[in-house]
Amino acid sequence: MPSDHTPQHDPLERIFAYRAFDLRDRFPQPLETFRQALECLQSDNAYLPDMSGEIVAYLRGGRAVPIPEHLFIRQAGNSASVVQKNENDRVCNAVEAWLRETLSRENEDTVNASTVRPSRLNILLDQCDPNAPEPDDIQAWQHIGEVGREIIEAPGREDIWDAAVKAMGEVQARRWMKTSHPKLNGKSPNLCIEEDPTRVYELVLQINAGAD
């Protein structure tokens, strides 16, 4: 007797590749599994993966899913680290379950794959309260006036991060990179680094100018 149930496709079949990203983009190759991407961030070749590591699943049809950093990067106070290799089985299972649940939702958390080159430094701030009041220094930064263009060549992501840390310290730099700003059309510096790194760098310099 034929079954009344229609076979269900595994949502994970929509994924055709993964990519791992670190601050210097040392892993440009597509990978078959999340585990391979995780092992890239755990390798000696990864540059500051605890501060900038990201793993993205690419879907058929031109979409992509950034995998939440808290699944593979551990945060303890102001420090962070990629999970140890002896945790890989558990982490892979957790990521698989998250992807399956995410891709099963009607309004899934996907983005256009062409925009997924992680221009943000992707510091783990998931534990921060998004409704918390902005610190005084961030509010002051929002109102800093314009300054001249101090650089000629476009800065790199590392230049911007180093300047931000120098200007306000690592902890506030992490928050700053994800704080929207009206002079960036309401976007955060993280989201604007790729399209206009010079503008983001100038805003960092404004912090230094205001601190003097």
Side-chain angles (χ1 to χ4, degrees), residues 16-121:
F16 72 89
Y18 294 83
R19 267 203 64 188
F21 297 89
D22 68 351
L23 188 58
R24 289 182 173 172
D25 198 13
R26 290 178 170 176
F27 310 105
Q29 71 277 13
L31 303 165
E32 293 184 5
T33 66
F34 169 82
R35 183 184 293 269
Q36 291 174 333
L38 177 59
E39 289 173 348
C40 285
L41 296 183
Q42 292 170 330
S43 71
D44 293 337
N45 291 331
Y47 184 76
L48 298 179
D50 52 331
M51 299 172 63
S52 60
E54 182 164 10
I55 298 176
V56 175
Y58 291 89
L59 312 179
R60 293 175 175 83
R63 305 293 290 177
V65 182
I67 296 172
E69 295 96 328
H70 72 266
L71 293 175
F72 56 92
I73 295 180
R74 295 286 175 263
Q75 183 89 6
N78 294 329
S79 63
S81 60
V82 180
V83 296
Q84 298 296 313
K85 292 182 178 180
N86 59 10
E87 299 183 73
N88 284 8
D89 287 343
R90 179 186 57 77
V91 172
C92 289
N93 289 337
V95 168
E96 180 177 311
W98 181 87
L99 282 168
R100 184 172 281 110
E101 192 276 333
T102 297
L103 297 178
S104 297
R105 291 199 299 263
E106 182 176 350
N107 296 318
E108 59 194 33
D109 300 329
T110 65
V111 297
N112 190 316
S114 65
T115 66
V116 170
R117 171 67 176 89
S119 54
R120 58 192 181 281
L121 297 178

Side-chain angles (χ1 to χ4, degrees), residues 146-174:
E146 296 281 354
V147 297
R149 294 181 177 270
E150 288 84 354
I151 58 175
I152 299 176
E153 296 183 356
R157 287 170 289 158
E158 292 180 71
D159 299 322
I160 294 171
W161 172 248
D162 290 343
V165 171
K166 181 179 178 180
M168 64 190 94
E170 182 175 325
V171 175
Q172 285 301 330
R174 293 181 178 186

Side-chain angles (χ1 to χ4, degrees), residues 69 122-123 125 174-180 188-190:
E69 295 96 328
N122 225 2
I123 307 303
L125 291 177
R174 293 181 178 186
R175 179 183 289 271
W176 173 78
M177 292 303 296
K178 286 192 174 182
T179 300
S180 61
S188 69
N190 278 334

